[in-house]
Amino acid sequence: MRTAPTILHLDMDAFFASAEQASKPSLRGKAVVVGGLGPRGVVATASYEARVFGVHSAMPTAQARRLAPNAAYLTPRFTFYRAISEQVMGLLRALSPLVEPLSLDEAFVDLEAGGVAWDSASAERAGLKLRADIRAVTGLTGSVGLAASKMIAKIASERAKPDGLVLIEPGTERALLGPLSVRALPGVGPATGDHLRRAGITTVDEIVEAGEDELVRLLGKAHGHGLYAMALAHDDRPVVAEREAKSVSVEDTYDVDIHDRLRIGLEVQRLADRCVRRLRSAGLSGRTIVLKVRRYDFSTLTRSETLRGPTDDPAVVREAALRLLDAVDTTGGVRLLGVGVSGLADYTQEDLFAQAAGERARAEAPQEDDVPHAPQPVPEEPEPAERRWLPGHDVRHAEYGHGWVQGSGLGRVTVRFETPDSEPGRVRTFRTDDPALEPTEPLPLVRRPDVPAACLDGAAPGTAGPGAGSAAEGRAADGGSGTGHPVAGGWRGQPSLG
């Protein structure tokens, strides 16, 4: 264990929902829920205003609507969130070479490795500066925990929420952990928590009282030893920079079970193409193609095929996924499909034999000019497919400018016209096929001439960057600012809101 609180854990506050509130002035201070909006949708993030009604992540959206019927329900804009995440991660990497991202909105940082902290005072200064930089660059807030270990730093950031900082002094960890639920410890999920509860163990102090031998008997050797060490606040896990991805995958859950075998095949091909786009954007390829099928009765099947070498060829991935689908019975219907690639590498090894065969087939195929055919009538112009207008997504109107979709249906789409820098805007309704209305890219949350260019690396075009104007300061995107701050010998902070 370290003798100074130089491990920092950052957790952005209600990240997706806060980004939406910052982007949409009319939603600031109001309940916002981001997630799937269909009958089988799940909440990804709820703003703090929505959490007051009991809405939380991983809850079915249908249940959230019953709890908070007047909240704004929006579909995620992941490209937008990733761009903001890259800005935040850029700030973290400026602090230290050892940054361990856990998700788009959460990461550990080893401040000691970056030379910016060596004791409590310097760690606190680094944490406060980081929070100020995040607000200046993104307009959003993040909560910071500082401690001598990763486990305690993460617990501290939970105590700091929202928009606070909590520092745990080394030597006070046991007093902090003792009264907490066993679920506060890493590796204790619902199943392990229920198992311990049935044995009469509900708090961390009760784990210590039960003893290591009892934990080994209840949970097995590896888990028992590890959990007992955690209960004693022994956590020597290092911050590991840029953990290597083990797989890339995409999946979709369908509002209505799919029975048509042809459509299932088309969905698998579409998912394979999406998966390959993610592979290529990360500069990766893979050897093992994985197909995931969840059937009407919730039974989930996984099938995989390993190729002779890594590939990022969409045709190869599509064909492999379809071969795997051939071995799966989908008679009763399918509610979820997924395609993934594992065995990742940063290079590709094309199948030269298959490539040569394809080129030979193309060469031997008759060319259009060589095939005699009768004159064909000119086909009529096909009717354009109706555009989908997803709630929360950005649009631009030729006359009214930038806005976002509030809802659509019955051939109409409702748009609120506003920008991150404007006052709450007016709402107008258009036909879904109105030629003056087009999807567009998100606008930057913050346009400040003093934002360092180094902080904007990796941001998507049109999502972040220096420019004219300024976002409103002090916006209450998360229902207020936190009051957590360090004190000698322990911590004092605002209780976590989740």
Side-chain angles (χ1 to χ4, degrees):
M1 291 282 289
R2 303 185 182 201
T3 58
T6 54
I7 292 182
L8 179 148
H9 181 261
L10 170 72
D11 195 353
M12 298 294 289
D13 299 322
F15 181 46
F16 296 171
S18 293
E20 297 296 347
Q21 289 176 315
S23 179
K24 302 171 172 63
S26 59
L27 297 184
R28 293 171 193 165
K30 298 181 180 179
V32 174
V33 179
V34 180
L37 304 188
R40 293 173 178 168
V42 175
V43 174
T45 307
S47 70
Y48 288 102
E49 296 86 355
R51 297 182 194 190
V52 171
F53 298 98
V55 180
H56 57 78
S57 60
M59 170 183 286
T61 304
Q63 182 181 354
R65 288 187 185 276
R66 291 193 293 270
L67 294 172
N70 296 321
Y73 289 84
L74 308 177
T75 53
R77 297 185 292 165
F78 287 112
T79 302
F80 180 51
Y81 308 146
R82 287 191 191 98
I84 300 172
S85 175
E86 278 303 311
Q87 293 178 287
V88 174
M89 296 302 166
L91 292 171
L92 298 184
R93 295 185 191 102
L95 287 176
S96 172
L98 293 183
V99 176
E100 183 178 342
L102 304 179
S103 62
L104 289 177
D105 62 337
E106 185 180 3
F108 287 109
V109 183
D110 188 333
L111 298 177
E112 187 175 329
V116 296
W118 50 91
D119 58 13
S120 296
S122 57
E124 180 189 357
R125 287 195 299 270
L128 291 172
K129 183 177 184 302
L130 173 64
R131 291 177 55 230
D133 289 346
I134 289 173
R135 184 184 285 275
V137 171
T138 70
L140 304 180
T141 63
S143 296
V144 168
L146 292 159
S149 70
K150 291 168 71 173
M151 176 180 70
I152 303 300
K154 184 172 174 63
I155 292 173
S157 70
E158 286 294 319
R159 298 269 177 174
K161 282 184 173 291
D163 190 20
L165 181 151
V166 168
L167 182 151
I168 307 298
E169 291 286 357
T172 67
E173 295 93 349
R174 278 286 295 114
L176 167 70
L177 286 176
L180 297 182
S181 164
V182 296
R183 292 290 303 278
L185 299 179
V188 180
T192 301
D194 286 344
H195 193 46
L196 291 172
R197 180 181 53 78
R198 287 193 295 270
I201 300 173
T202 59
T203 67
V204 176
D205 268 342
E206 289 170 346
I207 288 179
V208 177
E209 292 171 6
E212 189 170 13
D213 291 341
E214 178 65 8
L215 282 184
V216 169
R217 186 187 70 80
L218 288 171
L219 304 176
K221 188 173 181 179
H223 200 182
H225 286 310
L227 191 57
Y228 186 72
M230 292 283 187
L232 294 176
H234 296 164
D235 179 17
D236 295 324
R237 294 175 299 161
V239 176
V240 181
E242 302 296 344
R243 294 185 298 173
E244 185 177 353
K246 296 181 179 179
S247 64
V248 172
S249 63
V250 296
E251 62 182 42
D252 275 346
T253 300
Y254 302 100
D255 294 342
V256 179
D257 291 347
I258 304 175
H259 294 82
D260 180 38
R261 186 75 178 187
L262 177 59
R263 186 186 164 196
I264 293 173
L266 292 174
E267 290 293 323
V268 167
Q269 293 182 71
R270 183 179 60 82
L271 290 167
D273 288 343
R274 279 174 53 195
C275 185
V276 168
R277 286 197 295 271
R278 290 191 59 186
L279 268 181
R280 289 182 168 180
S281 67
L284 296 171
S285 60
R287 295 185 65 225
T288 302
I289 314 302
V290 181
L291 175 71
K292 178 179 177 182
V293 179
R294 180 166 296 152
R295 298 188 291 190
Y296 69 99
D297 58 357
F298 285 88
S299 61
T300 303
L301 304 177
T302 303
R303 299 289 184 266
S304 64
E305 175 182 320
T306 300
L307 308 174
R308 285 184 288 181
T311 184
D312 64 354
D313 186 332
V316 173
V317 176
R318 280 196 302 268
E319 290 169 8
L322 288 174
R323 285 195 298 271
L324 295 170
L325 179 63
D326 287 340
V328 176
D329 179 13
T330 60
T331 305
V334 168
R335 60 184 292 121
L336 177 147
L337 290 169
V339 173
V341 177
S342 60
L344 301 181
D346 56 2
Y347 65 97
T348 61
Q349 179 177 317
E350 301 298 343
D351 187 338
L352 299 180
F353 294 104
Q355 184 178 356
E359 291 175 352
R360 185 165 57 251
R362 285 192 294 272
E364 294 173 354
Q367 301 300 309
E368 184 177 355
D369 292 341
D370 300 333
V371 180
H373 54 274
Q376 299 294 319
V378 177
E380 294 183 5
E381 189 75 21
E383 289 290 331
E386 184 174 354
R387 292 178 290 182
R388 293 185 65 201
W389 302 103
L390 299 176
H393 283 225
D394 298 85
V395 294
R396 173 166 289 278
H397 191 274
E399 179 181 353
Y400 301 109
H402 189 94
W404 57 277
V405 176
Q406 283 204 184
S408 64
L410 301 177
R412 296 287 186 270
V413 55
T414 302
V415 177
R416 184 180 289 272
F417 290 96
E418 59 187 6
T419 70
D421 298 320
S422 73
E423 295 296 320
R426 296 187 61 181
V427 175
R428 297 182 183 274
T429 300
F430 308 91
R431 299 193 319 272
T432 54
D433 60 353
D434 190 324
L437 189 66
E438 294 290 342
T440 191
E441 295 297 318
L443 294 176
L445 294 183
V446 175
R447 304 188 188 197
R448 298 176 62 99
D450 57 339
V451 175
C455 297
L456 304 175
D457 290 346
T463 304
S470 173
E473 295 293 330
R475 57 178 63 131
D478 293 301
S481 62
T483 56
H485 56 280
V487 296
W491 62 271
R492 179 170 71 244
Q494 178 172 317
S496 170
L497 298 180

